[in-house]
Amino acid sequence: MPDFQKNIDSILEEVKNSSAIGTVASYIPELATVSSAKFGIHLIDANQQTYAAGDANEAFSVQSISKVLTLSMALGILGEEIWKRVDVEPSGDPFNHLSLLEQENGIPRNPFINAGAIVISDILVTQLKNPKEDFLNYVRKLADDSTISYNESVAISEKETGFKNYAAANLLKSYGNLNNKVEDVLDFYFHQCSLSMSCKQLCDTFYLYMNRGKCKRNTSYLTINQIKRINALMLTCGFYDEAGEFAFEVGLPGKSGVGGGIVALLPNKFCITTWSPGLNKKGNSARGMQALERLTTMTELSIF
Ligand code: GLN
């Protein structure tokens, strides 16, 4: 195995000085309060050795990274049934685009664009007794960390400004692909996106996607086949209309969020999270992508 600490220390130096820092998301006003100078990186290997640099322990808004976790919970409860309501194809469109949804009669292209994630939220609102509480407990169990919480200010901020998500949910409802009330589903969706976690906590949570479905305490949450499918979706759809570029530059399955986080993993080897709030034009962390490109190039470790 390469010297991960040496690699991430030198990546931090390189990327801190990069001029392509990106722009912090402001369409959710609460996200715009975060400094674009932040940069954190944390890596956990298959033996649970950890390596960190920069702001790796500072919590940030995970946003769309949460979509992997809701998908996992829904898949764990309902199994293959969920694919009747959401497809598994890359969209080639930005995360919040709606035109394909109309063309394809209310079946979202995949569970990581907003419309697809809203269908998954609808499934959880139906299936769970106390959806927000039960989902939070699920994440806490995966991470083995009871301190993980929602950020209410971020959830409220998005509730007040998430017009495109209201549009998506209403379109889904008009096609009969939303069983609960729009307000209830979006309240859950805005909360899942508002989860506040550090790079370290995200690595602890995503450890199971690298470890064939078993979390750090060796409890099995997903089958090897389910992990195969979720990792495939992260590779093909995890970065929206930049999924091809991420596979090309980095070569790992992963998931981004507009809070500036990216989680990526190499099955059976390691899981890594970067956080840098400045986003590129496609809504993915600019310096996070650079850092991950450097890591897989330096270590010559990727799925390819
Ligand atoms: N909550 C955000 C939204 O719905 C999530 C988007 C993202 O992280 N790409 O717009």
Side-chain angles (χ1 to χ4, degrees):
M1 271 291 159
D3 185 341
F4 284 126
Q5 191 60 51
K6 201 170 141 211
N7 288 320
I8 63 177
D9 284 341
S10 80
I11 289 169
L12 180 77
E13 277 318 302
E14 242 179 81
V15 168
K16 274 233 155 181
N17 298 324
S18 152
S19 55
I21 191 167
T23 313
V24 179
S26 58
Y27 77 101
I28 302 173
E30 194 63 23
L31 294 183
T33 61
V34 180
S35 160
S36 61
K38 298 284 182 189
F39 185 87
I41 186 163
H42 185 97
L43 186 149
I44 184 165
D45 70 16
N47 301 319
Q48 303 197 12
Q49 291 290 319
T50 61
Y51 312 86
D55 305 309
N57 285 314
E58 188 168 329
F60 60 91
S61 193
V62 310
Q63 293 297 319
S64 284
I65 297 172
S66 68
K67 295 169 180 172
V68 182
L69 304 172
T70 48
L71 171 67
S72 302
M73 196 177 191
L75 198 56
I77 296 170
L78 276 191
E80 302 293 308
E81 186 80 14
I82 67 171
W83 306 124
K84 290 185 185 150
R85 295 181 55 190
V86 58
D87 208 343
V88 294
E89 291 297 336
S91 70
D93 272 343
F95 60 85
N96 56 4
H97 255 219
L98 298 175
S99 51
L100 272 179
L101 186 60
E102 183 133 52
Q103 270 168 40
E104 295 174 354
N105 300 320
I107 301 293
R109 270 289 168 108
N110 66 67
F112 296 154
I113 52 170
N114 287 5
I118 291 169
V119 167
I120 300 295
S121 301
D122 183 54
I123 291 174
L124 291 180
V125 169
T126 300
Q127 295 292 326
L128 303 175
K129 216 165 170 192
N130 302 300
K132 285 189 277 189
E133 204 182 311
D134 296 351
F135 173 63
L136 183 59
N137 284 332
Y138 175 77
V139 177
R140 286 175 170 174
K141 270 204 277 172
L142 294 187
D144 193 21
D145 186 336
S146 60
T147 66
I148 296 169
S149 316
Y150 297 123
N151 180 330
E152 283 298 330
S153 318
V154 172
I156 291 168
S157 185
E158 192 169 3
K159 196 177 249 181
E160 286 168 357
T161 54
F163 305 112
K164 274 213 142 175
N165 288 322
Y166 285 98
N170 278 296
L171 260 181
L172 289 165
K173 190 91 186 158
S174 77
Y175 284 107
N177 199 6
L178 201 83
N179 296 330
N180 297 283
K181 282 198 208 145
V182 165
E183 293 70 30
D184 294 348
V185 177
L186 288 183
D187 180 57
F188 178 82
Y189 173 76
F190 295 144
H191 275 85
Q192 72 170 72
C193 289
S194 84
L195 267 180
S196 183
M197 293 166 76
S198 65
C199 294
K200 179 199 178 292
Q201 288 171 324
L202 278 166
C203 277
D204 288 344
T205 312
F206 274 68
Y207 182 83
L208 86 167
Y209 303 100
M210 177 255 288
N211 192 38
R212 300 171 151 244
K214 288 184 179 168
C215 75
K216 277 176 67 188
R217 283 169 296 110
N218 216 31
T219 309
S220 198
Y221 282 89
L222 292 160
T223 65
I224 290 175
N225 270 320
Q226 288 170 331
I227 289 292
K228 177 181 81 176
R229 303 210 191 294
I230 295 170
N231 286 345
L233 285 168
M234 281 200 256
L235 184 75
T236 53
C237 312
F239 298 82
Y240 318 109
D241 45 341
E242 202 167 35
E245 179 81 9
F246 192 82
F248 183 81
E249 297 281 346
V250 179
L252 298 174
K255 186 74 203 81
S256 63
V258 290
I262 298 180
V263 186
L265 59 110
L266 182 60
N268 306 313
K269 293 283 188 290
F270 66 84
C271 176
I272 183 165
T273 304
T274 57
W275 173 48
S276 173
L279 308 179
N280 64 19
K281 289 207 165 63
K282 308 257 166 118
N284 297 312
S285 170
R287 294 193 301 181
M289 286 200 44
Q290 289 166 39
L292 292 167
E293 185 280 324
R294 293 303 299 134
L295 182 90
T296 53
T297 301
M298 274 178 182
T299 60
E300 300 185 341
L301 289 174
S302 85
I303 62 165
F304 304 111

